[in-house]
Amino acid sequence: MAAGPGKPGVTDSGDTGVSSRAVPLEAFPGAWRPLLGHPALAELLGHPLAGAALTEMRRLLPPRLAVHSLRTFLLADARARTHGTAYDRVGLLAAAAFHDTGLVGRAPLGRGGFPRRSAQLLDRFLAGQQVGTERRTTLTRAVREHMRPFPARDAGPEARLLHFGAWLDVTGRGERHIPGDRGMLTALAPTPGFAVSFSARLVACGLRRVLPGSPVARG
């Protein structure tokens, strides 16, 4: 797997510094630990924004979606490292942590569906962490557009990478770019039948968009 520190072209845009003491793996759910021990994630655990994002992900997401979010980040990071793509690593981890949060809950979603709701939750989180407007805009766009069939032509690296990682983990699309990585991560943190359960959540969210009171229902 393409990973580990020191790879060219991988940056921590907007970094505010890394804590001298990383969060111990024991502080996280057992199902996460094989993925958090991967160098690409382990080296971020002492970063305050990363730690806060993982804490919120644990609070907001059921276990299987949380594991999918971690695999999404690692697949995106592997693609970036393989191709020497510079991107906001800590920011993308936060985006991956929040990209499916809109799938959880029962309230009507309205236009934009669950990705828009996920982006709103991410924006609120980032604002609370005093992340600047430009960086927030980049990361929330990545979340808002990650369910498009393909990234927009003007999408930045964070949007392209989040899209790549999320689709590869669920569907296998794009595996030729980093052959073997998806299977390795799935073996480390298996979620049997995830694609089926994920599809069921998407169907449920489709129904939430047309519940009474939803702008879609009135439109």
Side-chain angles (χ1 to χ4, degrees):
M1 177 180 247
K7 295 287 184 178
V10 183
T11 65
D12 291 313
S13 174
D15 223 351
T16 57
V18 177
S19 169
S20 60
R21 180 178 298 176
V23 179
L25 289 182
E26 292 75 18
F28 297 103
W32 297 16
R33 293 175 196 167
L35 299 177
L36 293 176
H38 187 285
L41 272 172
E43 64 193 20
L44 298 181
L45 294 185
H47 193 290
L49 182 61
L54 292 173
T55 298
E56 282 298 286
M57 184 173 77
R58 182 177 186 179
R59 183 178 71 85
L60 293 170
L61 291 183
R64 289 160 64 85
L65 274 180
V67 169
H68 159 65
S69 296
L70 294 174
R71 291 194 307 239
T72 291
F73 170 78
L74 287 171
L75 291 169
D77 182 78
R79 172 74 185 271
R81 291 172 185 269
T82 298
H83 293 271
T85 302
Y87 77 102
D88 177 357
R89 294 182 64 223
V90 176
L92 188 67
L93 176 57
F98 276 81
H99 83 283
D100 279 343
T101 51
L103 282 169
V104 180
R106 297 181 179 275
L109 289 170
R111 297 187 186 278
F114 88 84
R116 179 174 178 270
R117 175 60 177 157
S118 300
Q120 290 172 335
L121 292 169
L122 173 62
D123 189 61
R124 186 182 306 164
F125 164 76
L126 293 174
Q129 297 293 313
Q130 300 183 329
V131 173
T133 301
E134 182 177 354
R135 192 182 187 194
R136 280 163 46 202
T137 298
T138 297
L139 296 175
T140 55
R141 178 185 177 181
V143 170
R144 193 171 59 250
E145 297 184 358
H146 82 273
M147 285 297 292
R148 292 171 59 114
F150 297 96
R153 290 185 178 182
D154 64 341
E158 292 77 22
R160 294 196 304 272
L161 289 169
L162 182 67
H163 185 280
F164 172 84
W167 280 77
L168 174 54
D169 188 57
V170 177
T171 72
R173 193 176 83 180
E175 191 162 12
R176 63 185 177 83
H177 294 287
I178 46 171
D181 287 53
R182 180 180 183 235
M184 181 188 302
L185 293 176
T186 300
L188 282 175
T191 48
F194 178 75
V196 174
S197 62
F198 184 81
S199 297
R201 282 189 177 272
L202 291 181
V203 171
C205 279
L207 295 175
R208 284 166 61 196
R209 294 184 64 185
V210 295
L211 289 173
S214 165
V216 176
R218 292 195 298 268

